[in-house]
Amino acid sequence: MDKLTISIFGNQIFLEIMNEIKLFSKFRLKYYDNIDLCTKDAVNHDQLVIFFITEENKQYYTKIENNIFPLIVVANTSIPKHISSSDIVEQLNMPFSVLSLEKKIVSVLARYKFKKNSLINLCGYIIDKNERKIRKN
């Protein structure tokens, strides 16, 4: 089985720290400085994204607003409701412990896998077994 890739956007130093302490050796870590490429890869390859919100990249809120991939948002301040309202989004405020990050990763991945396994695509319809609903497109 392939290792899961964790995509990191907004903080390259965090990637270097994670590679140094080798805590997440069961995951592949990858840094992106392009949000479009990051979200595209996350959707296409079922990647978890750790998104660091800073003053410089606040404008990228809209790019992750309707995410269909697991996401952990890390910020100095509280995160807008429209981002953290999804059930596959976790929020961390800085400073945080590495163990709390690991718990968030496990939690969001479990919810994402559960949600993904409950959806069936059939001739342009999406059947959600958990919610017992059928949607078109």
Side-chain angles (χ1 to χ4, degrees):
M1 186 171 138
D2 243 0
K3 284 185 175 183
L4 174 79
T5 300
I6 297 177
S7 302
I8 300 169
F9 178 81
N11 194 337
Q12 190 167 7
I13 295 169
F14 177 76
L15 171 72
E16 293 168 8
I17 292 169
M18 288 296 107
N19 283 331
E20 270 184 36
I21 62 175
K22 297 186 188 318
L23 178 67
F24 299 116
S25 60
K26 56 188 168 196
F27 303 117
R28 213 173 312 124
L29 300 172
K30 192 171 182 181
Y31 177 77
Y32 289 90
D33 52 9
N34 182 332
I35 191 66
D36 294 323
L37 184 60
C38 181
T39 55
K40 180 181 162 194
D41 282 354
V43 169
N44 293 339
H45 303 294
D46 285 338
Q47 295 177 353
L48 168 74
V49 175
I50 299 177
F51 184 84
F52 284 85
I53 296 177
T54 60
E55 290 296 321
E56 295 83 34
N57 65 14
K58 274 186 180 179
Q59 71 271 19
Y60 297 129
Y61 282 158
T62 56
K63 302 261 186 188
I64 63 169
E65 190 172 30
N66 297 319
N67 64 317
I68 56 171
F69 49 86
L71 175 68
I72 296 176
V73 181
V74 182
N76 286 329
T77 60
S78 63
I79 296 165
K81 291 277 188 206
H82 66 276
I83 291 177
S84 60
S85 64
S86 174
D87 58 343
I88 54 173
V89 174
E90 283 285 346
Q91 173 182 345
L92 268 174
N93 291 326
M94 290 200 271
F96 60 87
S97 72
V98 176
L99 294 176
S100 67
L101 174 64
E102 185 177 27
K103 287 178 187 176
K104 298 273 185 185
I105 289 172
V106 170
S107 171
V108 77
L109 286 176
R111 286 194 313 266
Y112 175 70
K113 286 179 184 177
F114 178 76
K115 184 175 181 176
K116 186 177 177 186
N117 288 335
S118 70
L119 299 177
I120 300 170
N121 290 321
L122 185 65
C123 298
Y125 291 93
I126 298 174
I127 302 169
D128 190 332
K129 296 187 297 185
N130 295 335
E131 292 182 15
R132 297 179 184 223
K133 292 182 180 178
I134 299 175
R135 285 176 262 167
K136 186 167 179 141
N137 298 329

